[in-house]
Short mmCIF file of all heavy atoms in Angstrom, two decimals:
data_model
loop_
_atom_site.label_atom_id
_atom_site.label_comp_id
_atom_site.label_asym_id
_atom_site.label_seq_id
_atom_site.Cartn_x
_atom_site.Cartn_y
_atom_site.Cartn_z
N ILE A 1 -73.84 30.79 -0.80
CA ILE A 1 -74.32 31.59 -1.93
C ILE A 1 -75.50 30.89 -2.60
O ILE A 1 -76.53 31.49 -2.94
CB ILE A 1 -73.19 31.83 -2.96
CG1 ILE A 1 -72.14 32.76 -2.37
CG2 ILE A 1 -73.74 32.40 -4.27
CD1 ILE A 1 -70.86 32.84 -3.20
N ASN A 2 -75.37 29.58 -2.78
CA ASN A 2 -76.42 28.79 -3.42
C ASN A 2 -77.72 28.88 -2.59
O ASN A 2 -78.81 29.03 -3.14
CB ASN A 2 -75.95 27.35 -3.54
CG ASN A 2 -76.92 26.47 -4.33
OD1 ASN A 2 -77.32 26.82 -5.44
ND2 ASN A 2 -77.33 25.35 -3.72
N THR A 3 -77.57 28.77 -1.25
CA THR A 3 -78.76 28.81 -0.36
C THR A 3 -79.43 30.19 -0.41
O THR A 3 -80.66 30.29 -0.53
CB THR A 3 -78.34 28.49 1.08
OG1 THR A 3 -77.75 27.19 1.11
CG2 THR A 3 -79.53 28.54 2.03
N ARG A 4 -78.64 31.25 -0.34
CA ARG A 4 -79.19 32.61 -0.36
C ARG A 4 -79.89 32.91 -1.68
O ARG A 4 -80.95 33.53 -1.71
CB ARG A 4 -78.08 33.61 -0.07
CG ARG A 4 -77.59 33.63 1.37
CD ARG A 4 -76.47 34.62 1.53
NE ARG A 4 -76.00 34.66 2.90
CZ ARG A 4 -74.94 35.35 3.29
NH1 ARG A 4 -74.24 36.06 2.41
NH2 ARG A 4 -74.56 35.35 4.57
N LEU A 5 -79.28 32.49 -2.78
CA LEU A 5 -79.88 32.75 -4.08
C LEU A 5 -81.19 31.96 -4.23
O LEU A 5 -82.15 32.43 -4.85
CB LEU A 5 -78.91 32.38 -5.20
CG LEU A 5 -77.68 33.31 -5.36
CD1 LEU A 5 -76.77 32.79 -6.48
CD2 LEU A 5 -78.10 34.74 -5.64
N ARG A 6 -81.22 30.72 -3.68
CA ARG A 6 -82.46 29.95 -3.73
C ARG A 6 -83.59 30.70 -3.01
O ARG A 6 -84.72 30.71 -3.49
CB ARG A 6 -82.25 28.59 -3.08
CG ARG A 6 -83.52 27.70 -3.14
CD ARG A 6 -83.43 26.48 -2.28
NE ARG A 6 -82.41 25.55 -2.78
CZ ARG A 6 -81.35 25.19 -2.08
NH1 ARG A 6 -81.14 25.68 -0.87
NH2 ARG A 6 -80.48 24.34 -2.59
N GLU A 7 -83.25 31.30 -1.85
CA GLU A 7 -84.24 32.06 -1.12
C GLU A 7 -84.74 33.27 -1.90
O GLU A 7 -85.86 33.75 -1.67
CB GLU A 7 -83.67 32.50 0.23
CG GLU A 7 -83.38 31.32 1.18
CD GLU A 7 -82.59 31.73 2.39
OE1 GLU A 7 -82.14 32.93 2.43
OE2 GLU A 7 -82.40 30.90 3.29
N MET A 8 -83.91 33.80 -2.79
CA MET A 8 -84.29 34.93 -3.65
C MET A 8 -84.92 34.47 -4.98
O MET A 8 -85.17 35.27 -5.86
CB MET A 8 -83.05 35.80 -3.99
CG MET A 8 -82.39 36.43 -2.80
SD MET A 8 -80.95 37.39 -3.33
CE MET A 8 -80.22 37.84 -1.76
N GLU A 9 -85.08 33.14 -5.11
CA GLU A 9 -85.63 32.55 -6.32
C GLU A 9 -84.71 32.81 -7.52
O GLU A 9 -85.15 33.09 -8.63
CB GLU A 9 -87.06 33.07 -6.61
CG GLU A 9 -88.05 32.69 -5.53
CD GLU A 9 -89.46 33.15 -5.86
OE1 GLU A 9 -89.61 33.94 -6.83
OE2 GLU A 9 -90.39 32.73 -5.16
N VAL A 10 -83.43 32.69 -7.25
CA VAL A 10 -82.39 32.86 -8.29
C VAL A 10 -81.59 31.56 -8.33
O VAL A 10 -81.21 31.02 -7.29
CB VAL A 10 -81.48 34.06 -8.00
CG1 VAL A 10 -80.37 34.14 -9.04
CG2 VAL A 10 -82.29 35.36 -7.95
N GLN A 11 -81.31 31.10 -9.54
CA GLN A 11 -80.53 29.87 -9.70
C GLN A 11 -79.04 30.19 -9.89
O GLN A 11 -78.68 31.16 -10.56
CB GLN A 11 -81.02 29.08 -10.92
CG GLN A 11 -82.39 28.43 -10.74
CD GLN A 11 -82.77 27.56 -11.92
OE1 GLN A 11 -82.58 27.95 -13.06
NE2 GLN A 11 -83.30 26.36 -11.64
N LEU A 12 -78.19 29.34 -9.28
CA LEU A 12 -76.74 29.48 -9.41
C LEU A 12 -76.24 28.42 -10.39
O LEU A 12 -76.54 27.24 -10.24
CB LEU A 12 -76.06 29.31 -8.05
CG LEU A 12 -74.53 29.30 -8.07
CD1 LEU A 12 -73.99 30.69 -8.51
CD2 LEU A 12 -73.96 28.96 -6.69
N HIS A 13 -75.43 28.86 -11.38
CA HIS A 13 -74.87 27.98 -12.38
C HIS A 13 -73.34 28.13 -12.40
O HIS A 13 -72.82 29.19 -12.06
CB HIS A 13 -75.43 28.27 -13.78
CG HIS A 13 -76.91 28.35 -13.83
ND1 HIS A 13 -77.70 27.23 -14.10
CD2 HIS A 13 -77.78 29.39 -13.65
CE1 HIS A 13 -78.98 27.60 -14.09
NE2 HIS A 13 -79.05 28.90 -13.81
N LEU A 14 -72.66 27.10 -12.84
CA LEU A 14 -71.21 27.14 -13.03
C LEU A 14 -70.91 26.86 -14.50
O LEU A 14 -71.61 26.08 -15.14
CB LEU A 14 -70.50 26.12 -12.15
CG LEU A 14 -70.78 26.16 -10.64
CD1 LEU A 14 -70.00 25.04 -9.96
CD2 LEU A 14 -70.43 27.51 -10.06
N SER A 15 -69.83 27.49 -15.00
CA SER A 15 -69.40 27.17 -16.37
C SER A 15 -67.88 27.10 -16.43
O SER A 15 -67.19 27.73 -15.62
CB SER A 15 -69.89 28.25 -17.36
OG SER A 15 -69.18 29.46 -17.20
N GLU A 16 -67.37 26.32 -17.37
CA GLU A 16 -65.94 26.20 -17.66
C GLU A 16 -65.14 25.82 -16.42
O GLU A 16 -64.08 26.37 -16.15
CB GLU A 16 -65.41 27.49 -18.29
CG GLU A 16 -66.14 27.87 -19.57
CD GLU A 16 -65.54 29.07 -20.30
OE1 GLU A 16 -64.46 29.53 -19.90
OE2 GLU A 16 -66.19 29.55 -21.25
N VAL A 17 -65.70 24.87 -15.66
CA VAL A 17 -65.00 24.39 -14.46
C VAL A 17 -63.86 23.46 -14.88
O VAL A 17 -64.06 22.53 -15.66
CB VAL A 17 -65.98 23.64 -13.52
CG1 VAL A 17 -65.25 23.20 -12.26
CG2 VAL A 17 -67.16 24.52 -13.18
N LYS A 18 -62.67 23.70 -14.35
CA LYS A 18 -61.51 22.89 -14.73
C LYS A 18 -61.62 21.49 -14.12
O LYS A 18 -62.22 21.30 -13.05
CB LYS A 18 -60.23 23.56 -14.26
CG LYS A 18 -59.96 24.87 -15.00
CD LYS A 18 -58.63 25.48 -14.60
CE LYS A 18 -58.33 26.72 -15.43
NZ LYS A 18 -57.06 27.37 -15.06
N GLY A 19 -61.00 20.54 -14.79
CA GLY A 19 -61.10 19.12 -14.37
C GLY A 19 -60.73 18.87 -12.93
O GLY A 19 -61.49 18.27 -12.18
N PRO A 20 -59.53 19.33 -12.47
CA PRO A 20 -59.15 19.05 -11.08
C PRO A 20 -60.11 19.68 -10.09
O PRO A 20 -60.36 19.10 -9.02
CB PRO A 20 -57.75 19.69 -10.98
CG PRO A 20 -57.23 19.68 -12.38
CD PRO A 20 -58.42 19.92 -13.23
N VAL A 21 -60.65 20.87 -10.42
CA VAL A 21 -61.63 21.52 -9.52
C VAL A 21 -62.91 20.72 -9.48
O VAL A 21 -63.50 20.47 -8.42
CB VAL A 21 -61.90 22.97 -9.98
CG1 VAL A 21 -62.97 23.63 -9.11
CG2 VAL A 21 -60.61 23.79 -9.94
N MET A 22 -63.38 20.24 -10.65
CA MET A 22 -64.60 19.43 -10.72
C MET A 22 -64.42 18.12 -9.96
O MET A 22 -65.35 17.66 -9.27
CB MET A 22 -64.94 19.15 -12.18
CG MET A 22 -66.24 18.34 -12.35
SD MET A 22 -67.68 19.15 -11.68
CE MET A 22 -67.97 20.36 -12.99
N ASP A 23 -63.24 17.52 -10.03
CA ASP A 23 -63.00 16.28 -9.31
C ASP A 23 -63.22 16.46 -7.80
O ASP A 23 -63.81 15.58 -7.14
CB ASP A 23 -61.56 15.80 -9.55
CG ASP A 23 -61.33 15.35 -10.98
OD1 ASP A 23 -62.33 15.06 -11.67
OD2 ASP A 23 -60.16 15.30 -11.41
N ARG A 24 -62.79 17.60 -7.28
CA ARG A 24 -62.93 17.83 -5.83
C ARG A 24 -64.38 18.16 -5.50
O ARG A 24 -64.90 17.73 -4.46
CB ARG A 24 -62.00 18.95 -5.40
CG ARG A 24 -60.53 18.59 -5.57
CD ARG A 24 -59.60 19.68 -5.09
NE ARG A 24 -59.65 19.84 -3.64
CZ ARG A 24 -58.85 20.67 -2.98
NH1 ARG A 24 -57.98 21.41 -3.62
NH2 ARG A 24 -58.93 20.77 -1.66
N LEU A 25 -65.05 18.93 -6.37
CA LEU A 25 -66.45 19.26 -6.10
C LEU A 25 -67.34 18.03 -6.09
O LEU A 25 -68.32 17.95 -5.35
CB LEU A 25 -66.96 20.27 -7.15
CG LEU A 25 -66.35 21.68 -7.10
CD1 LEU A 25 -66.93 22.53 -8.24
CD2 LEU A 25 -66.61 22.35 -5.76
N GLN A 26 -66.99 17.04 -6.94
CA GLN A 26 -67.81 15.84 -7.03
C GLN A 26 -67.69 14.96 -5.78
O GLN A 26 -68.50 14.05 -5.58
CB GLN A 26 -67.39 15.03 -8.26
CG GLN A 26 -67.87 15.68 -9.57
CD GLN A 26 -67.35 14.98 -10.81
OE1 GLN A 26 -66.34 14.25 -10.74
NE2 GLN A 26 -68.00 15.20 -11.93
N LYS A 27 -66.69 15.23 -4.92
CA LYS A 27 -66.55 14.48 -3.69
C LYS A 27 -67.50 14.95 -2.61
O LYS A 27 -67.65 14.30 -1.58
CB LYS A 27 -65.11 14.56 -3.18
CG LYS A 27 -64.07 13.94 -4.12
CD LYS A 27 -62.65 14.14 -3.57
CE LYS A 27 -61.62 13.53 -4.50
NZ LYS A 27 -60.23 13.74 -4.00
#
């Protein structure tokens, strides 16, 4: 999704990410 939106010149943002989910994303 991030790649496709970049090609469309659209930025992808996240909000209100829970701690355990953020911990895994940071890996």
Side-chain angles (χ1 to χ4, degrees):
I1 291 169
N2 187 52
T3 300
R4 288 178 179 174
L5 290 178
R6 181 191 293 119
E7 294 170 353
M8 298 179 187
E9 297 183 349
V10 176
Q11 289 185 316
L12 175 65
H13 309 270
L14 306 179
S15 73
E16 302 186 9
V17 182
K18 293 184 177 179
V21 176
M22 181 61 77
D23 292 341
R24 296 182 69 175
L25 291 179
Q26 287 174 339
K27 296 178 181 179

